[in-house]
Amino acid sequence: MSFPAQRLRRLRRTPALRRLVAETRLGVDDLVAPLFVREGITEPQPIASLPGVVQHTRDSLVKEAHRLSSLGVPALVLFGIPSRKDPEGSEAWNPNGIVQLALKDLRDDLDDAMVLIPDLCLDEYTDHGHCGIVRPDGTVDNDATIELYARTAVAQAEAGADLVAPSGMMDGQVGAIRNALDGGGFNETGILAYAAKFASALYGPFRDAVDVTIVGGGDRKGYQQDWHNRGEALAEVRADIAEGADIVMVKPALAYLDVIAAVKASTDVPVAAYHVSGEYSMLKAAAERGWIDGEAVALEHLTAIKRAGADIIVTYLAGEVAESLNG
Ligand code: PBG
């Protein structure tokens, strides 16, 4: 008598059996919603390449945060679009700049119901669209830039940020921000570091959302990571943690599941992944044509990001996925 073949299908027979043995569970608690607030508008503005996402007014932002909070989404990342851009991006640290005002609105209204995480970068605020100070030769000056990040971190902390999220990929940015926060009396304000952020072509729709065009058709390959590399991501993560990062993030997500897994295996701090604008837009475009089931693919993609090792997922799908997980 021969041994029976292994019966792997027994545990797949019913939905309850499948639920019982599921190794990865995506929950509302894992989700962070990115939101945009724009200065000087009176009605929310749709973003053509990000269907369902808008540039908010200060009022509509607070309403949307309430909706997300009542769905159980624990956190939001906030991006500002100022009316005035200049070479330094000075609206980023203006105490009356749009993100600072919006953070105060959110804190007043929500108290501690949501974790408030302003993105900390200069590209939304500079007239040339780079993430820092541009030298005459067109390169970005690392050390001059991180001084401005440090200033911005203090302004964001003063306005009520729980965590600041530096996304500019300058060397030493986390250390400079940690020092400035501690020096300003904000030792309770944490840092979610965009640690392994790749120079991806998937950020296109985001740049529409924040009205950013990089001058002269330039790119960010001089400071964001080259997507041919994985080991380098671990070096970035190690450096950020040594400088004081509380959470490290990999970005984008789906094409970088190997990086997420390697980062998770290399550290004990929470690991976040950013499911970026291009990933969202591809899904929405195919779903709109009826070529894929958008809701099913959304759950499959976000669960895969979690399975790879992400503890936290930043995604434009947060609201709708929270609705389907709650429903
Ligand atoms: C930089 C920043 C970018 C994104 C988040 N923070 C754009 C960039 O690096 O060019 C992209 C997010 C997305 O594509 O959803 N402030």
Side-chain angles (χ1 to χ4, degrees):
M1 206 178 93
S2 62
F3 288 105
Q6 206 186 351
R7 291 295 181 183
L8 291 166
R9 287 183 53 190
R10 280 185 197 125
L11 300 182
R12 298 176 193 155
R13 198 170 47 83
T14 68
L17 272 165
R18 293 194 291 273
R19 265 200 296 136
L20 181 70
V21 301
E23 295 174 36
T24 309
R25 292 165 211 276
L26 181 71
V28 175
D29 291 338
D30 304 324
L31 304 174
V32 179
L35 297 175
F36 301 99
V37 62
R38 179 172 191 156
E39 189 177 9
I41 55 170
T42 51
E43 289 297 323
Q45 305 292 313
I47 303 156
S49 54
L50 282 173
V53 181
V54 301
Q55 297 175 332
H56 282 286
T57 67
R58 284 171 63 185
D59 282 347
S60 73
L61 176 75
V62 171
K63 288 202 188 89
E64 178 61 2
H66 265 280
R67 188 184 77 88
L68 291 163
S69 173
S70 64
L71 288 167
V73 176
L76 62 86
V77 170
L78 185 61
F79 296 92
I81 304 123
S83 302
R84 195 181 61 81
K85 305 195 185 206
D86 62 23
E88 289 199 306
S90 61
E91 282 299 294
W93 61 85
N94 178 354
N96 295 313
I98 184 63
V99 158
Q100 277 69 253
L101 296 177
L103 281 171
K104 283 185 199 138
D105 293 342
L106 291 167
R107 183 60 74 210
D108 286 349
D109 217 82
L110 290 159
D111 197 11
D112 282 336
M114 285 189 95
V115 179
L116 305 182
I117 314 173
D119 181 85
L120 198 172
C121 199
L122 296 176
D123 61 320
E124 297 91 0
Y125 303 92
T126 54
D127 52 13
H128 46 69
H130 274 296
C131 296
I133 296 292
V134 180
R135 297 195 193 91
D137 69 359
T139 60
V140 172
D141 184 335
N142 193 89
D143 296 5
T145 298
I146 63 179
E147 281 176 38
L148 303 182
Y149 289 178
R151 247 191 251 180
T152 305
V154 172
Q156 293 180 339
E158 245 158 19
D162 291 294
L163 306 170
V164 298
S167 64
M169 292 300 284
M170 298 298 133
D171 288 329
Q173 63 184 14
V174 172
I177 288 168
R178 186 69 269 156
N179 276 340
L181 288 173
D182 292 347
F186 297 106
N187 59 345
E188 297 278 298
T189 307
I191 301 176
L192 187 166
Y194 287 72
K197 176 172 174 178
F198 291 87
S200 172
L202 289 161
Y203 307 147
F206 172 91
R207 292 184 192 154
D208 293 341
V210 292
D211 294 341
V212 168
T213 312
I214 306 176
V215 71
D219 59 43
R220 307 207 194 291
K221 292 184 178 167
Y223 39 104
Q224 297 181 347
Q225 260 191 261
D226 184 338
W227 37 258
H228 297 87
N229 302 342
R230 179 175 52 220
E232 195 185 341
L234 300 180
E236 284 282 1
V237 164
R238 256 195 314 276
D240 280 6
I241 292 172
E243 290 173 33
D246 300 284
I247 300 174
V248 290
M249 186 148 73
V250 175
K251 180 186 171 186
L254 286 172
Y256 300 85
L257 296 181
D258 59 326
V259 177
I260 295 171
V263 168
K264 181 63 183 170
S266 80
T267 178
D268 296 327
V269 306
V271 175
Y274 198 140
H275 180 253
V276 302
S277 58
E279 299 178 271
Y280 172 89
S281 297
M282 289 194 291
L283 187 155
K284 288 290 171 191
E288 227 171 74
R289 293 186 170 203
W291 289 355
I292 60 170
D293 174 342
E295 187 179 347
V297 173
L299 288 172
E300 183 178 336
H301 276 180
L302 298 189
T303 303
I305 295 165
K306 182 141 190 219
R307 192 186 62 228
D311 304 294
I312 297 165
I313 305 172
V314 182
T315 174
Y316 303 96
L317 296 163
E320 64 195 85
V321 165
E323 276 171 2
S324 56
L325 291 173
N326 290 335

